[in-house]
Structures are given as C-alpha cells and as structure tokens.
Amino acid sequence: MGETPQSLVFAKVEQVYVAESISTQNGDRITIDARALNPLSRLGGAQYAAIDEPFSVQRPK
C-alpha cells in the first residue's frame, strides 16, 4: 500500500467460451476440468500460483 498506486476491480462475467476438451455437460450444468484448464493466478508482486491438487468442499444446504 503506502505510496504505490493500487486498484481493485469488480466485474460481472456475462459470457465465457470453454473448449469442449476441458468441459463436460450434464443437462444444464457444465463442469470444467481444472487440471486440463491449467489456470494461473497472480497473487501480488512477483508471486503466482497454479492449481496443484484440486479439491472439493461440500456446500451447506
């Protein structure tokens, strides 16, 4: 923070295109294979992260 300019952006994603090779469709639901997508995230500064081992957490009902 300090004197370094900072920005925070909120966006509403209205449409995405996904290759059929990394997705499966079951009815109206599309599931993306995170490992096949191989995403990369920027954490800040010179730090980045990749998905090493995807996991699932059960949603509360």
Side-chain angles (χ1 to χ4, degrees):
M1 310 279 213
E3 299 297 318
T4 305
Q6 302 288 317
S7 298
L8 179 61
V9 177
F10 292 93
K12 178 181 176 183
V13 177
E14 295 191 6
Q15 189 171 11
V16 297
Y17 296 92
V18 179
E20 291 180 7
S21 61
I22 64 166
S23 63
T24 55
Q25 186 165 355
N26 185 5
D28 291 339
R29 190 170 195 97
I30 297 174
T31 304
I32 307 296
D33 180 353
R35 283 192 170 175
L37 179 63
N38 195 21
L40 181 67
S41 63
R42 178 147 189 225
L43 302 176
Q47 293 184 320
Y48 293 81
I51 292 183
D52 217 15
E53 186 64 40
F55 62 92
S56 297
V57 176
Q58 187 173 4
R59 293 189 227 176
K61 295 185 180 202

